[in-house]
Each structure stands twice: as C-alpha cells, then as structure tokens.
Amino acid sequence: MRDVAQLAGVSHQTVSRVVNGHAKVRDETRQRVLDAMRSLNYRRNLAARTLVTRRSYTLGIIGYETTLFGPASMLHGIESAAREAGYLVSIATMPELTGADVLEAVDRLAHHVVDGVIAIAPNEAVADALDEASAGLCCVAVGGAGPAGVTPRVCIDNAAGGRLATRHLLDLGHRTVHHVSGPLDWPEARERLGGWQATLRAAGRPVPPVAGGGWDAASGYQQGLRLADDPSVTAVFCANDRIALGVLRALHEAGRSVPDEVSVVGFDDTPEAGYFFPPLTTIRQDFAELGRRSLALLLERLAAPDDRAARQPTLLTPELIVRTSRSPRHRA
C-alpha cells in the first residue's frame, strides 16, 4: 500500500480510502491510485483484512439446480445485490433442497468463513433448517411461505399477485376465472391459488375446481386441453408464464381464439412473455429488489446477531403487466 501511495503521490491513508470505497476522494486522485494499483499489480490482502475486521466480506448463497425462471432469477438477483455491495459470493447449489441438504450446505459454507448465508427457501423444511442453522451463522431466507420464524425472510406476495390477476379478469367482464396451478406442494403455487380463490369468493363468483400440475408448459398444455373443451371457460389465470404458454397452444389447437374467446394471464413476466402469441398479460416479480431486500436483512442480522425474535416475512408487491392476451367480455 505504501508503494502504491508513493507511485500515486498520495498518502497511504488515501490509498486505504480508495481500496475501501470511501466517497470522500476526488475523482482525479482516485484514478491516480487505481492506475498505480494496476501498474504495481496490487491486490489487497483479504486474509489480513479478515483478521483486523473479523469479517470476510464473503456471503454464502444456497440455491438449487433448476431451469425455472423464478428460482434462477432469485439467485441472480441476490448475487448481483451482494456484488454491488462489495461482497464476494460463494454459491452452493444442489439438485433438491431438503432440510438436511440445507444444513449440510450451511456447514460447508461456514467452513469457508462466510459472514452470513442467503438461501432460496421453496418450502417449510428449508425455512425450519435455516432457523436451526442460524444459531451459529446469520441466515436469511428468500421465497417460500409459512409462519413467522427466527430467520428473516423476503418473499413476493404471491397471494396479492393471484388477487391482482383475478380481479383484472373479473373487471373485464368475465363471469368467473379458471386457474391452472403449479405443484401444490410448493408454497408459491398454494398462495397464488389462495389469492385467486379469495377474490372469486369475495365477488360472489363460482370457484372452478383445480388440479395441481407442474411448473412446465407441458402441464399447462394438458390442463389447457381440458379447459378448451368447456365452452363456458372465458378467462384463465395461470400460475406461471410457462404454464400459460402450454395453455395458449392448447387453446389454439382447439380453435379457441385468444383473447377474443378466452383471456389468459400468467405470472412471472419472463423475458419471453412479451413475444408469446398473443403477447402475454402477466404478473411481474421484481427479483432485483428481492435480492436487495434480502441482502439488507442479512446486513441487519449481522449487526444484531443475538436478535432471534420471531419476525413476519417481508412481502414485495408484484405488478400487473397488461398485454394483448386478454380482452373485455360482455356478460350475458
């Protein structure tokens, strides 16, 4: 650091401020220091920094191997927020997330001296495991559902999203709304279904039966074929956009025009949703904000590691994105 200071013509305290990202350094001075660091191939000694601060500035992220848009986007949002905050990231992924898997992953990350862990928690078993693991390491859960726990949790308000989609379709004049759900052992699927049911009941409308399916387009296609055979079906809320893609194909093959005969709404707002035919009206989740909020909660937990009081999840409100897969309908 003193060599860098000498080459840049500044004090070693100024070099320290540049290395640690302090704002009170003139741009010209900062650039001279950065140029000197590159010239000398200077790298700060993270091991020494850890000894002094007792912080590694490394976070562990636990996820699972999946091509599903939601969990993959959560992982990306958390990683991006951590990097923007100056943290290195160590990621542990596995084919499935069970309570035992999570405890093993937390233990593995702890051996890498991470400051804390953010875990994608699709079910109650993962949240329970984090409550147990957080006795020795600060943890935050992302996603899932369930009662208040000692592990802070940040989630999309899936029930609000279900209500938003259903209310939108009812406001367009549809007598009722059918639902194509995701797997009902997933809290997200149950919450979206619950929001749909509650909205129909509050409006005094019929609540059609639901059969749980998968998160994929093939599941949407199979359930879409069943709905396409029923001429009374005029509006469908799908638990995610991939399901909606399958429903759109099934309706097309059955000769049911979208949106003239049947309106369709999805959930997620995948990058491809605007390119479906027709472009898909859907519920958008802000995964970047999910990452920022989960990181903020972890930093709060690091500042007060002894606070193990139960707390309610932080819920983020989703947004309705209106495209042309739905249209007004005049009730008879």
Side-chain angles (χ1 to χ4, degrees), residues 123-141:
N123 56 47
E124 289 88 344
V126 173
D128 291 343
L130 288 174
D131 282 351
E132 180 180 343
S134 66
L137 185 65
C138 292
C139 298
V140 166

Side-chain angles (χ1 to χ4, degrees), residues 183-247:
L184 295 179
D185 57 339
W186 281 61
E188 286 87 350
R190 295 197 302 271
E191 290 174 350
R192 294 170 196 179
L193 181 148
W196 163 77
Q197 286 177 328
T199 304
L200 291 180
R201 287 171 179 157
R205 306 297 175 83
V207 181
V210 173
W215 287 118
D216 57 320
S219 178
Y221 176 74
Q222 292 301 322
Q223 295 193 61
L225 290 174
R226 174 179 56 82
L227 294 174
D229 283 339
D230 184 349
S232 70
V233 173
T234 67
V236 182
F237 163 47
C238 301
N240 76 358
D241 290 352
R242 293 174 72 177
I243 292 172
L245 179 62
V247 169

Side-chain angles (χ1 to χ4, degrees), residues 62 81 87 89 129 146 157 189 199 206 211 238 240 251 267 276 278 314 325 328:
I62 299 175
Y87 283 84
V89 171
D157 192 338
T199 304
C238 301
N240 76 358
L251 291 169
F267 202 112
F276 287 7
T314 299
S325 65

Side-chain angles (χ1 to χ4, degrees), residues 256-301:
R256 302 289 303 277
S257 173
V258 177
D260 295 337
E261 294 181 62
V262 183
S263 292
V264 178
V265 174
F267 202 112
D268 277 344
D269 194 29
T270 61
E272 301 81 11
Y275 298 93
F276 287 7
F277 186 78
L280 184 66
T281 294
T282 186
I283 304 297
R284 174 181 291 167
Q285 307 187 64
D286 189 343
F287 293 108
E289 182 63 17
L290 197 73
R292 288 189 289 268
R293 291 286 190 94
S294 62
L295 179 63
L297 277 177
L298 182 60
L299 296 180
E300 287 179 18
R301 187 70 181 271

Side-chain angles (χ1 to χ4, degrees), residues 20-21 59 76-89 287-289 291-293 295 299:
N20 289 293
L59 300 182
H76 177 70
I78 296 164
E79 183 186 15
S80 296
R83 281 191 284 103
E84 288 175 7
Y87 283 84
L88 297 175
V89 171
F287 293 108
E289 182 63 17
R292 288 189 289 268
R293 291 286 190 94
L295 179 63
L299 296 180

